[in-house]
Amino acid sequence: MNLFNKLIAAALPIIPKGIVRKVSARYIAGDTLTDAVRVVRTLNAEGAMATVDVLGEYITSLSDAETNTKYSCEVLKTIEREKIDSNLSIKLTSLGLDLDAGHCEKNVRTILETARGHGNIFVRFDMENSPYTSRTLELHDKLKGEFNIGVVLQAYMRRSEDDIRTLIANGSRNIRLCKGIYNESETIAFKGRDEIRANYLRCLELALSNGLYVGIATHDPFLIAGAKEIITKLKLPRERYEFQMLLGVTEPMRRSLIKEGFRLRVYVPFGADWYGYSIRRLKENPAMAGHITKAIFTGR
Ligand SMILES: Cc1cc2nc3c(=O)[nH]c(=O)nc-3n(C[C@H](O)[C@H](O)[C@H](O)COP(=O)(O)OP(=O)(O)OC[C@H]3O[C@@H](n4cnc5c(N)ncnc54)[C@H](O)[C@@H]3O)c2cc1C
C-alpha cells in the first residue's frame, strides 16, 4: 500500500458515513432482505449462485445475538420461499461467541435446524480473526455430523495446512479457502504476498486431492490460474469445487469464469449494519482510496 493509500486508510474513521455509504453501495445488496433477494435473483439470472450474509458483526449483548439469529432464520425461510439459488454465511461472534459460547451454540443450532427444515440449505461458518479460529473449527466439528455445514480456512494463517489435515481426518466435507482479511501477527500469519499465494495453492491442492469440496474464494488472477492448473492435474469434475467472489468485485472475471462453465458463487452482504463491513473492505483494497477521494471531492 503506498503512502497516499495508507493515509486514506488511516483517515477512514473520520470520513463522513454518507461518503463511505456511496462508495460501498456496489459491495452491499442494501439494507433489507428484499434488497438481498433482488440482488441474488440478478446473480442467478447471470448464472451465479449466492451466499447471503446478514451484516451484524459487532454485538454487545445476547439480545443482539438473538436478533441476528432470528434474522438468519428469516433469510433461510426466504431462500426457500422465493426459490433463489443461495445458501447462508454466518459469523459466530454475531451470534454471541464472545459473550457466552453455550448461548452461541444454541443460536447456531436454531439456525441450522431452520436450514434443515427449509430444503436442507447449506450454512457456512465464516472465519473471523485468530482469537476465534479454534472455537469456530471446534463448533463446526461438533455439528458437522448433524447438519449441512462448512467452514472457512485462511491461507495467511500458518496453521491452516494442519487445520485442513485435521478436517480431512475428521470427515469434514466442505471448506471455503480465502487469503484472510484481518491483520494478524507475523508469528501466526504469513505476511508476504508470495508466501500467502504459495500457501493458498498448497492448501487448495491438499484439500481437493483429499476429497474436500472447496469454495475457491479469491479475485487474484494468479490464484485462479493456479487453481485451474490443480483442477486439471487432478482431473476434477466441476461438481467438486466452486469459485467464489465478493459482490461488486472483479465482475468481468466473474462473468468470464461463468462463461467457461465453472460453478461460481457470489457473497451477498446486506443489512443496516453496513458500516463496519464497508470500512474493512475499503481498508483491504488500496485502489478504493481513489474512489473515496473522488467521492469526497465530487460528491458522487
Ligand atoms: C466469497 C468470499 C468469502 C470470504 N470470506 C472470508 C472469511 O470468512 N474470512 C476472511 O478472513 N476473509 C474472507 N474473505 C476475504 C478474503 O480473505 C480476502 O481478504 C479477499 O478476498 C481479497 O483477497 P483476494 O484473494 O481476492 O486477493 P487480492 O490480492 O486482495 O485481490 C486481487 C484483486 O482483486 C481485486 N479486489 C480484491 N478485493 C477487492 C475489494 N474489496 N474491492 C475491489 N477490488 C478488490 C483487486 O483488483 C485486487 O488486485 C472472503 C472472500 C471471498 C471472495
Side-chain angles (χ1 to χ4, degrees), residues 27 51 91 125-128 152 154 156 176 178-182 193 197 200 217-221 223 244-246 248-250 253 265-267 281-282 284-285 288:
Y27 301 110
T51 184
K91 288 189 180 58
F125 295 3
D126 281 352
M127 187 55 82
E128 301 179 70
V152 179
Q154 296 153 322
Y156 67 11
R176 173 194 298 151
C178 64
K179 283 185 182 171
I181 202 174
Y182 302 91
R193 185 190 68 171
R197 279 176 166 172
Y200 192 106
T218 181
H219 318 92
D220 183 345
L223 289 184
Q244 297 188 349
M245 294 186 180
L246 300 171
V249 177
T250 56
M253 203 152 63
R265 188 175 305 276
V266 179
Y267 190 96
R281 290 267 113 74
L282 293 172
E284 172 196 10
N285 182 15
M288 294 307 297

Side-chain angles (χ1 to χ4, degrees), residues 56-82:
E57 293 161 44
Y58 303 109
I59 64 162
T60 52
S61 71
L62 288 175
S63 89
D64 290 344
E66 302 280 344
T67 306
N68 286 337
T69 303
K70 282 198 193 114
Y71 221 6
S72 284
C73 292
E74 204 46 53
V75 173
L76 290 162
K77 291 175 195 166
T78 305
I79 289 173
E80 191 194 37
R81 191 182 58 239
E82 298 291 326

Side-chain angles (χ1 to χ4, degrees), residues 61-248:
S61 71
L62 288 175
S63 89
D64 290 344
E66 302 280 344
T67 306
N68 286 337
T69 303
K70 282 198 193 114
Y71 221 6
S72 284
C73 292
E74 204 46 53
V75 173
L76 290 162
K77 291 175 195 166
T78 305
I79 289 173
E80 191 194 37
R81 191 182 58 239
E82 298 291 326
K83 299 186 174 53
I84 50 177
D85 188 350
S86 182
N87 60 38
L88 176 75
S89 289
I90 56 174
K91 288 189 180 58
L92 299 188
T93 58
S94 81
L95 303 170
L97 184 61
D98 232 3
L99 304 171
D100 179 336
H103 216 91
C104 174
E105 182 175 335
K106 185 173 107 356
N107 288 336
V108 172
R109 279 185 178 277
T110 303
I111 292 171
L112 298 183
E113 272 153 20
T114 307
R116 190 163 53 194
H118 289 79
N120 203 23
I121 298 169
F122 177 84
V123 178
R124 171 87 58 199
F125 295 3
D126 281 352
M127 187 55 82
E128 301 179 70
N129 44 337
S130 54
Y132 308 108
T133 311
S134 293
R135 284 187 274 166
T136 303
L137 290 169
E138 280 156 22
L139 191 57
H140 168 266
D141 187 35
K142 187 168 177 185
L143 299 174
K144 71 178 189 312
E146 277 179 76
F147 299 105
N148 186 15
I149 56 173
V151 72
V152 179
L153 276 300
Q154 296 153 322
Y156 67 11
M157 293 295 281
R158 295 180 192 274
R159 58 178 283 175
S160 284
E161 192 178 339
D162 285 341
D163 286 335
I164 292 178
R165 290 187 200 284
T166 307
L167 288 167
I168 293 164
N170 73 20
S172 295
R173 295 175 301 274
N174 190 318
I175 64 165
R176 173 194 298 151
L177 183 62
C178 64
K179 283 185 182 171
I181 202 174
Y182 302 91
N183 191 12
E184 300 289 357
S185 118
E186 199 172 349
T187 52
I188 56 168
F190 297 110
K191 300 299 265 186
R193 185 190 68 171
D194 292 344
E195 50 183 2
I196 295 172
R197 279 176 166 172
N199 198 43
Y200 192 106
L201 293 177
R202 209 165 32 241
C203 288
L204 180 62
E205 183 155 5
L206 175 67
L208 286 174
S209 56
N210 283 281
L212 281 175
Y213 183 95
V214 184
I216 306 167
T218 181
H219 318 92
D220 183 345
F222 177 87
L223 289 184
I224 291 175
K228 285 181 181 171
E229 272 176 34
I230 293 172
I231 287 160
T232 307
K233 190 170 91 182
L234 297 175
K235 299 191 178 72
L236 284 183
R238 296 193 170 182
E239 308 72 54
R240 290 277 315 283
Y241 61 90
E242 64 191 39
F243 286 95
Q244 297 188 349
M245 294 186 180
L246 300 171
L247 185 66

